[in-house]
Amino acid sequence: MVHWTADEKQLITSLWGKVNVEECGSEALARLLIVYPWTQRFFSTFGNLSNAEAILHNPHVHAHGKKVLTSFGEAVKNLDHIKQTFATLSKLHCEKLHVDPENFKLLGNVLIIVLASHFTKEFTPACQAAWQKLVSAVAHALALGYH
Amino acid sequence: MLNHDEKQLIKHAWEKVLGHQEDFGAEALERMFAVYPQTKTYFPHFDLHHDSEQIRHHGKKVVTALGDAVRHMDNLSEALSELSNLHAYNLRVDPVNFKASAGQGRGEFPGVRDQPPPFPSLPGVRAVPGAAGSGLPGAEGWSAADTVRFALQLLSHCFQVVLAVHLADEYTPQVHVAYDKFLAAVSAVLAEKYR
Protein backbone atom coordinates (compact mmCIF):
# COMPACT_ATOMS: atom_id res chain seq x y z
CA MET A 1 0.00 0.00 0.00
CA VAL A 2 1.27 3.45 -0.84
CA HIS A 3 1.82 5.69 2.15
CA TRP A 4 0.53 9.24 1.69
CA THR A 5 1.24 12.15 3.97
CA ALA A 6 -1.64 14.49 4.78
CA ASP A 7 0.02 17.18 2.66
CA GLU A 8 0.28 14.87 -0.35
CA LYS A 9 -3.38 13.91 -0.11
CA GLN A 10 -4.32 17.56 0.17
CA LEU A 11 -2.22 18.54 -2.86
CA ILE A 12 -3.74 15.74 -4.94
CA THR A 13 -7.38 16.16 -4.02
CA SER A 14 -7.42 19.94 -4.13
CA LEU A 15 -5.88 20.04 -7.61
CA TRP A 16 -8.17 17.27 -8.81
CA GLY A 17 -11.16 19.33 -7.77
CA LYS A 18 -10.17 21.91 -10.38
CA VAL A 19 -9.35 19.53 -13.22
CA ASN A 20 -11.61 19.58 -16.26
CA VAL A 21 -11.56 15.83 -16.82
CA GLU A 22 -12.77 15.98 -20.42
CA GLU A 23 -10.31 18.66 -21.45
CA CYS A 24 -7.26 17.32 -19.61
CA GLY A 25 -8.03 13.71 -20.42
CA SER A 26 -8.35 14.26 -24.15
CA GLU A 27 -5.26 16.45 -24.17
CA ALA A 28 -3.23 13.88 -22.23
CA LEU A 29 -4.17 11.07 -24.59
CA ALA A 30 -3.53 13.25 -27.66
CA ARG A 31 -0.11 14.20 -26.34
CA LEU A 32 0.73 10.55 -25.65
CA LEU A 33 -0.06 9.69 -29.27
CA ILE A 34 1.89 12.69 -30.59
CA VAL A 35 4.96 12.57 -28.36
CA TYR A 36 5.25 8.76 -28.32
CA PRO A 37 3.83 7.75 -31.71
CA TRP A 38 4.36 4.03 -31.17
CA THR A 39 1.45 4.15 -28.71
CA GLN A 40 -0.82 4.66 -31.71
CA ARG A 41 -0.61 0.92 -32.26
CA PHE A 42 -3.17 0.42 -29.51
CA PHE A 43 -5.71 2.64 -31.23
CA SER A 44 -5.91 1.30 -34.75
CA THR A 45 -9.69 1.70 -34.83
CA PHE A 46 -9.54 5.41 -34.03
CA GLY A 47 -9.30 6.60 -37.63
CA ASN A 48 -7.03 9.46 -38.64
CA LEU A 49 -3.96 9.72 -36.40
CA SER A 50 -1.64 10.76 -39.20
CA ASN A 51 -0.42 14.05 -37.71
CA ALA A 52 -0.69 16.19 -34.58
CA GLU A 53 -3.60 18.25 -35.89
CA ALA A 54 -5.57 15.13 -36.83
CA ILE A 55 -4.93 13.60 -33.41
CA LEU A 56 -5.92 16.75 -31.54
CA HIS A 57 -9.26 16.92 -33.38
CA ASN A 58 -9.99 13.22 -33.43
CA PRO A 59 -13.33 12.54 -31.68
CA HIS A 60 -12.33 9.01 -30.65
CA VAL A 61 -9.20 10.36 -28.97
CA HIS A 62 -11.31 12.98 -27.26
CA ALA A 63 -13.85 10.51 -25.93
CA HIS A 64 -11.31 7.92 -24.89
CA GLY A 65 -9.10 10.49 -23.20
CA LYS A 66 -12.03 11.55 -21.08
CA LYS A 67 -12.72 7.92 -20.21
CA VAL A 68 -9.10 7.28 -19.21
CA LEU A 69 -8.86 10.32 -16.97
CA THR A 70 -12.26 9.62 -15.39
CA SER A 71 -10.94 6.22 -14.48
CA PHE A 72 -7.82 7.88 -13.09
CA GLY A 73 -10.12 9.87 -10.85
CA GLU A 74 -10.99 6.63 -9.09
CA ALA A 75 -7.42 6.53 -7.82
CA VAL A 76 -7.83 10.00 -6.37
CA LYS A 77 -10.99 8.89 -4.57
CA ASN A 78 -9.33 5.71 -3.34
CA LEU A 79 -5.78 6.74 -2.53
CA ASP A 80 -5.49 4.06 0.12
CA HIS A 81 -6.77 1.27 -2.13
CA ILE A 82 -5.23 1.93 -5.49
CA LYS A 83 -4.22 -1.67 -6.19
CA GLN A 84 -7.71 -2.99 -5.60
CA THR A 85 -9.26 -0.14 -7.57
CA PHE A 86 -7.32 -1.04 -10.71
CA ALA A 87 -7.29 -4.84 -10.40
CA THR A 88 -9.89 -5.39 -13.13
CA LEU A 89 -8.39 -2.78 -15.45
CA SER A 90 -4.99 -4.39 -14.99
CA LYS A 91 -6.31 -7.71 -16.20
CA LEU A 92 -7.99 -5.99 -19.13
CA HIS A 93 -4.82 -4.17 -20.20
CA CYS A 94 -2.87 -7.40 -20.07
CA GLU A 95 -5.28 -9.99 -21.45
CA LYS A 96 -7.39 -8.04 -23.90
CA LEU A 97 -5.48 -4.90 -24.80
CA HIS A 98 -1.92 -6.27 -24.70
CA VAL A 99 -0.39 -3.00 -23.58
CA ASP A 100 3.24 -3.02 -22.43
CA PRO A 101 3.15 -1.53 -18.90
CA GLU A 102 6.05 0.76 -19.81
CA ASN A 103 3.45 2.85 -21.60
CA PHE A 104 1.64 3.59 -18.34
CA LYS A 105 4.72 5.50 -17.17
CA LEU A 106 4.69 7.51 -20.38
CA LEU A 107 1.04 8.47 -19.97
CA GLY A 108 1.68 9.37 -16.34
CA ASN A 109 4.46 11.78 -17.30
CA VAL A 110 2.36 13.25 -20.09
CA LEU A 111 -0.45 13.89 -17.61
CA ILE A 112 2.03 15.69 -15.36
CA ILE A 113 2.95 18.00 -18.24
CA VAL A 114 -0.71 18.67 -19.03
CA LEU A 115 -1.36 19.59 -15.39
CA ALA A 116 1.75 21.79 -15.37
CA SER A 117 0.62 23.71 -18.45
CA HIS A 118 -2.92 24.18 -17.12
CA PHE A 119 -2.16 25.06 -13.52
CA THR A 120 1.24 26.76 -14.04
CA LYS A 121 2.58 28.29 -10.83
CA GLU A 122 0.05 26.41 -8.73
CA PHE A 123 1.72 23.19 -9.88
CA THR A 124 4.58 23.68 -7.42
CA PRO A 125 7.45 21.20 -6.98
CA ALA A 126 5.65 19.73 -3.95
CA CYS A 127 2.46 19.40 -5.97
CA GLN A 128 4.37 17.74 -8.81
CA ALA A 129 6.03 15.34 -6.37
CA ALA A 130 2.67 14.24 -4.96
CA TRP A 131 1.19 13.79 -8.42
CA GLN A 132 4.23 11.90 -9.73
CA LYS A 133 3.86 9.55 -6.78
CA LEU A 134 0.20 9.07 -7.76
CA VAL A 135 0.81 8.41 -11.45
CA SER A 136 3.56 6.00 -10.45
CA ALA A 137 1.22 4.18 -8.07
CA VAL A 138 -1.48 3.90 -10.73
CA ALA A 139 1.03 2.63 -13.31
CA HIS A 140 2.27 0.11 -10.76
CA ALA A 141 -1.28 -1.06 -9.98
CA LEU A 142 -2.09 -1.45 -13.66
CA ALA A 143 0.99 -3.60 -14.15
CA LEU A 144 0.25 -5.89 -11.22
CA GLY A 145 -2.23 -8.13 -12.99
CA TYR A 146 0.16 -9.02 -15.78
CA HIS A 147 1.15 -12.60 -16.32
CA MET B 1 16.41 13.19 -35.96
CA LEU B 2 14.83 16.59 -35.52
CA ASN B 3 13.10 17.86 -38.63
CA HIS B 4 13.14 21.48 -39.74
CA ASP B 5 9.78 22.35 -38.16
CA GLU B 6 10.79 20.86 -34.83
CA LYS B 7 14.03 22.85 -34.81
CA GLN B 8 12.07 26.03 -35.47
CA LEU B 9 9.64 25.25 -32.66
CA ILE B 10 12.52 24.63 -30.27
CA LYS B 11 14.27 27.89 -31.18
CA HIS B 12 11.06 29.89 -31.01
CA ALA B 13 10.10 28.53 -27.61
CA TRP B 14 13.65 29.10 -26.34
CA GLU B 15 13.11 32.84 -26.73
CA LYS B 16 10.85 32.57 -23.70
CA VAL B 17 13.70 31.03 -21.72
CA LEU B 18 16.17 33.80 -22.45
CA GLY B 19 16.52 36.12 -19.50
CA HIS B 20 15.22 33.41 -17.17
CA GLN B 21 18.00 30.84 -17.37
CA GLU B 22 18.77 30.98 -13.66
CA ASP B 23 15.12 30.83 -12.57
CA PHE B 24 14.19 28.01 -14.92
CA GLY B 25 17.35 26.04 -14.18
CA ALA B 26 16.96 26.35 -10.42
CA GLU B 27 13.31 25.33 -10.68
CA ALA B 28 14.12 22.29 -12.82
CA LEU B 29 16.71 21.11 -10.32
CA GLU B 30 14.41 21.77 -7.39
CA ARG B 31 11.63 19.78 -9.03
CA MET B 32 14.02 16.94 -9.77
CA PHE B 33 15.19 16.81 -6.13
CA ALA B 34 11.59 16.94 -4.86
CA VAL B 35 10.22 14.28 -7.21
CA TYR B 36 13.27 12.01 -7.44
CA PRO B 37 15.13 12.31 -4.13
CA GLN B 38 17.72 9.77 -5.26
CA THR B 39 19.11 12.40 -7.62
CA LYS B 40 20.29 14.35 -4.59
CA THR B 41 23.03 11.75 -4.32
CA TYR B 42 24.73 13.46 -7.27
CA PHE B 43 25.06 16.63 -5.19
CA PRO B 44 26.16 15.59 -1.71
CA HIS B 45 28.23 18.76 -1.42
CA PHE B 46 25.38 21.15 -2.28
CA ASP B 47 23.10 23.18 -0.07
CA LEU B 48 19.82 21.83 -1.42
CA HIS B 49 17.47 24.22 0.35
CA HIS B 50 14.94 26.09 -1.77
CA ASP B 51 16.60 28.91 -3.70
CA SER B 52 20.12 28.12 -2.46
CA GLU B 53 22.93 29.98 -4.16
CA GLN B 54 24.40 26.68 -5.37
CA ILE B 55 21.17 25.49 -6.94
CA ARG B 56 20.65 28.83 -8.67
CA HIS B 57 24.24 28.88 -9.91
CA HIS B 58 24.10 25.31 -11.16
CA GLY B 59 20.67 25.75 -12.66
CA LYS B 60 21.94 28.72 -14.64
CA LYS B 61 24.88 26.65 -15.92
CA VAL B 62 22.60 23.82 -17.00
CA VAL B 63 20.16 26.03 -18.89
CA THR B 64 22.93 28.11 -20.46
CA ALA B 65 24.44 24.87 -21.76
CA LEU B 66 21.04 23.86 -23.11
CA GLY B 67 20.93 27.20 -24.88
CA ASP B 68 24.25 26.33 -26.55
CA ALA B 69 22.71 23.05 -27.61
CA VAL B 70 19.71 24.90 -29.10
CA ARG B 71 22.08 27.03 -31.15
CA HIS B 72 23.98 23.96 -32.40
CA MET B 73 21.26 21.40 -32.91
CA ASP B 74 22.93 20.16 -36.08
CA ASN B 75 26.13 19.34 -34.27
CA LEU B 76 25.30 18.40 -30.71
CA SER B 77 28.20 16.01 -30.31
CA GLU B 78 30.77 18.69 -31.01
CA ALA B 79 28.96 21.49 -29.20
CA LEU B 80 28.57 19.40 -26.04
CA SER B 81 31.91 17.63 -26.25
CA GLU B 82 33.42 19.37 -23.22
CA LEU B 83 30.33 18.74 -21.12
CA SER B 84 30.25 15.15 -22.25
CA ASN B 85 33.81 14.68 -20.98
CA LEU B 86 32.93 16.43 -17.73
CA HIS B 87 29.95 14.21 -17.07
CA ALA B 88 31.85 11.07 -17.99
CA TYR B 89 35.08 11.71 -16.13
CA ASN B 90 34.23 14.06 -13.29
CA LEU B 91 30.79 12.95 -12.25
CA ARG B 92 31.48 10.42 -9.54
CA VAL B 93 28.73 7.94 -9.23
CA ASP B 94 28.61 4.55 -7.57
CA PRO B 95 26.03 2.66 -9.62
CA VAL B 96 25.11 0.71 -6.48
CA ASN B 97 23.48 3.92 -5.17
CA PHE B 98 21.24 3.97 -8.14
CA LYS B 99 20.35 0.33 -7.88
CA ALA B 100 19.05 0.91 -4.36
CA SER B 101 16.71 3.63 -5.47
CA ALA B 102 15.83 2.30 -8.94
CA GLY B 103 13.75 -0.41 -7.35
CA GLN B 104 13.73 -4.14 -7.89
CA GLY B 105 11.97 -5.76 -10.76
CA ARG B 106 8.98 -4.68 -12.74
CA GLY B 107 6.58 -2.31 -11.18
CA GLU B 108 8.87 -0.32 -8.89
CA PHE B 109 9.21 3.08 -10.46
CA PRO B 110 11.78 5.62 -9.33
CA GLY B 111 9.06 8.22 -9.06
CA VAL B 112 7.76 6.47 -5.97
CA ARG B 113 9.10 7.89 -2.72
CA ASP B 114 9.58 5.73 0.36
CA GLN B 115 12.80 4.47 -1.16
CA PRO B 116 15.69 3.27 1.00
CA PRO B 117 18.00 6.11 2.03
CA PRO B 118 21.04 6.86 -0.14
CA PHE B 119 23.79 4.30 0.08
CA PRO B 120 25.99 5.17 3.05
CA SER B 121 29.24 4.76 1.16
CA LEU B 122 28.73 8.05 -0.70
CA PRO B 123 32.05 9.49 0.48
CA GLY B 124 33.68 6.45 -1.10
CA VAL B 125 32.33 7.05 -4.58
CA ARG B 126 34.81 6.56 -7.34
CA ALA B 127 35.34 8.06 -10.75
CA VAL B 128 34.44 5.74 -13.58
CA PRO B 129 36.19 7.12 -16.64
CA GLY B 130 34.74 5.30 -19.59
CA ALA B 131 34.19 2.12 -17.59
CA ALA B 132 31.25 -0.04 -18.57
CA GLY B 133 30.69 -0.77 -14.94
CA SER B 134 30.08 -4.44 -15.52
CA GLY B 135 32.80 -5.40 -13.08
CA LEU B 136 31.37 -3.35 -10.23
CA PRO B 137 29.96 -5.47 -7.44
CA GLY B 138 26.24 -5.24 -6.91
CA ALA B 139 25.71 -3.15 -10.03
CA GLU B 140 23.56 -5.88 -11.59
CA GLY B 141 23.82 -4.65 -15.15
CA TRP B 142 23.62 -0.91 -14.36
CA SER B 143 26.62 0.71 -16.00
CA ALA B 144 27.80 4.21 -15.16
CA ALA B 145 26.42 5.30 -18.53
CA ASP B 146 23.02 3.90 -17.61
CA THR B 147 22.88 5.79 -14.34
CA VAL B 148 23.83 9.11 -15.92
CA ARG B 149 21.48 8.61 -18.84
CA PHE B 150 18.69 7.72 -16.45
CA ALA B 151 19.34 10.71 -14.18
CA LEU B 152 19.43 13.00 -17.20
CA GLN B 153 16.02 11.64 -18.26
CA LEU B 154 14.64 12.66 -14.90
CA LEU B 155 16.12 16.15 -15.26
CA SER B 156 14.82 16.37 -18.84
CA HIS B 157 11.31 15.55 -17.66
CA CYS B 158 11.50 18.17 -14.90
CA PHE B 159 12.83 20.77 -17.33
CA GLN B 160 9.86 20.06 -19.59
CA VAL B 161 7.55 20.58 -16.62
CA VAL B 162 9.23 23.98 -16.07
CA LEU B 163 8.64 24.86 -19.73
CA ALA B 164 5.01 23.76 -19.42
CA VAL B 165 4.53 25.86 -16.28
CA HIS B 166 6.00 29.00 -17.82
CA LEU B 167 4.84 28.65 -21.42
CA ALA B 168 1.39 27.28 -20.44
CA ASP B 169 -0.71 26.76 -23.57
CA GLU B 170 2.21 27.77 -25.75
CA TYR B 171 3.77 24.48 -24.70
CA THR B 172 1.68 22.80 -27.35
CA PRO B 173 1.88 19.07 -28.12
CA GLN B 174 4.06 19.93 -31.12
CA VAL B 175 6.52 21.92 -28.98
CA HIS B 176 6.37 19.13 -26.38
CA VAL B 177 7.43 16.39 -28.80
CA ALA B 178 10.18 18.59 -30.24
CA TYR B 179 11.64 19.25 -26.79
CA ASP B 180 11.24 15.63 -25.74
CA LYS B 181 13.32 14.56 -28.73
CA PHE B 182 15.83 17.37 -28.30
CA LEU B 183 16.43 16.70 -24.60
CA ALA B 184 16.78 12.97 -25.29
CA ALA B 185 19.44 13.76 -27.90
CA VAL B 186 21.30 16.05 -25.48
CA SER B 187 21.20 13.39 -22.74
CA ALA B 188 22.53 10.77 -25.13
CA VAL B 189 25.48 12.98 -26.09
CA LEU B 190 26.29 13.76 -22.46
CA ALA B 191 26.33 10.08 -21.56
CA GLU B 192 28.16 8.89 -24.65
CA LYS B 193 31.69 9.09 -23.30
CA TYR B 194 30.99 6.55 -20.58
CA ARG B 195 31.69 3.62 -22.80
Side-chain angles (χ1 to χ4, degrees), chain A residues 4-26:
Chain A
W4 303 99
T5 65
D7 283 346
E8 285 169 341
K9 285 192 174 184
Q10 216 278 319
L11 286 165
I12 290 168
T13 54
S14 73
L15 199 81
W16 184 252
K18 303 178 210 176
V19 168
N20 179 326
V21 173
E22 185 170 340
E23 201 182 300
C24 284
S26 64

Side-chain angles (χ1 to χ4, degrees), chain A residues 8 31 105 123 132 140, chain B residues 31 107 109 113 157 171 176:
Chain A
E8 285 169 341
R31 282 182 187 256
K105 288 192 244 181
F123 197 65
Q132 297 266 190
H140 181 130
Chain B
R31 283 181 184 276
F109 302 121
R113 273 127 127 271
H157 171 64
Y171 199 66
H176 179 171

Side-chain angles (χ1 to χ4, degrees), chain B residues 144-192:
Chain B
D146 289 335
T147 57
V148 171
R149 228 182 275 122
F150 191 71
L152 290 173
Q153 272 174 43
L154 304 183
L155 181 57
S156 297
H157 171 64
C158 289
F159 186 71
Q160 286 194 66
V161 171
V162 171
L163 290 177
V165 163
H166 293 275
L167 271 61
D169 48 16
E170 282 183 45
Y171 199 66
T172 63
Q174 293 90 329
V175 174
H176 179 171
V177 61
Y179 267 92
D180 198 83
K181 287 168 74 171
F182 168 65
L183 292 168
V186 169
S187 301
V189 167
L190 287 178
E192 81 186 358

